[in-house]
Amino acid sequence: MEKVKIRRELLEYLLELARDFYPNEFAGFLREKDGIFEEVLIAPNPHFGRSSAFFDTWMLPYDESIKGTVHSHPGPNPRPSRADLNFFSKFGGVHIIIAYPFVEDSVRAYRSDGSPLRIEIVK
């Protein structure tokens, strides 16, 4: 199985964001450097609700380092919903879902088609 690499510090921050926004979802874009996700960018004027997160992708700056997305699920299911898959198909890249209870074991990564990726946490 193909893998995605993410810095431990970023993963811990994403878990904290998921906990802070609970019971609402949060979403952001992932910046990659040298094949490793290192930063999250929260889009301007987001709407984070209990069953969805919305932001206007037209408001994002042009940034070639954005290679993925991340969002939380306030329930325990880390699998992508139909709405998630629809978004994945439009945005491309890698997509990380953080499910409740927002711990390392509840994080999953997917390709745009919804097929799973292994996550490697790096220093």
Side-chain angles (χ1 to χ4, degrees), residues 25-29 42-49 51-59 71 87:
E25 290 191 11
F26 92 93
F29 294 89
I42 305 297
N45 300 316
H47 165 75
F48 299 139
S51 61
S52 66
F54 174 80
F55 38 81
D56 186 352
T57 55
W58 291 102
M59 298 294 288
H71 75 278
F87 176 73

Side-chain angles (χ1 to χ4, degrees), residues 8-22 24 26 72 98 101-104 107:
R8 174 161 299 284
E9 184 178 353
L10 174 59
L11 180 60
E12 289 172 1
Y13 179 62
L14 294 172
L15 292 169
E16 185 179 315
L17 281 175
R19 289 183 206 110
D20 288 348
F21 277 94
Y22 181 80
N24 294 329
F26 92 93
S72 63
I98 304 170
F102 316 122
V103 294
E104 211 170 286
V107 179

Side-chain angles (χ1 to χ4, degrees), residues 30-34 37 41 60-68 91:
L30 296 170
R31 286 186 169 139
E32 182 184 77
K33 182 179 179 188
D34 299 325
F37 286 115
L41 173 67
L60 285 173
Y62 177 73
D63 187 340
E64 289 186 1
S65 69
I66 295 175
K67 303 291 184 187
F91 191 76

